[in-house]
Amino acid sequence: MNCREVAELLLEYVGGELAPDAHTRLELHLEKCPPCAHFTASYRLTVTLTRRLPRAELSPEAAARLRAALEAAQRGV
Ligand SMILES: [Zn+2]
């Protein structure tokens, strides 16, 4: 799995909706790729915080940060 695939599957991964084999492959990538691991951690935190607030929307700042991290991951930084 490469960084781009990780970025594409991240929402399902964080939501626990990923198929077991994809889940395993994604975690193997995270172990070898600190930028993706970092991105996943911030993404998970954002999702957790968002779910805790019933009607909260992603703030423009958070959305911009996520987009920047996603683009960085897709560049393979
Ligand atoms: Zn990666």
Side-chain angles (χ1 to χ4, degrees):
M1 186 173 290
N2 59 36
C3 296
R4 208 184 118 114
E5 288 176 286
V6 168
E8 283 170 359
L9 295 174
L10 206 54
L11 183 62
E12 289 171 74
Y13 173 70
V14 170
E17 294 159 0
L18 212 52
D21 68 315
H23 185 99
T24 302
R25 286 191 297 128
L26 196 150
E27 290 195 327
L28 282 174
H29 179 92
L30 295 185
E31 283 175 20
K32 292 181 294 184
C33 186
C36 279
H38 180 76
F39 177 49
T40 303
S42 2
Y43 191 87
R44 192 196 296 277
L45 183 66
T46 304
V47 169
T48 304
L49 291 176
T50 304
R51 283 185 182 161
R52 209 176 286 166
L53 305 168
R55 272 173 294 172
E57 288 175 21
L58 199 61
S59 71
E61 293 82 12
R65 214 157 48 85
L66 279 174
R67 194 159 48 240
L70 189 66
E71 284 165 5
Q74 287 177 338
R75 282 196 308 270
V77 172

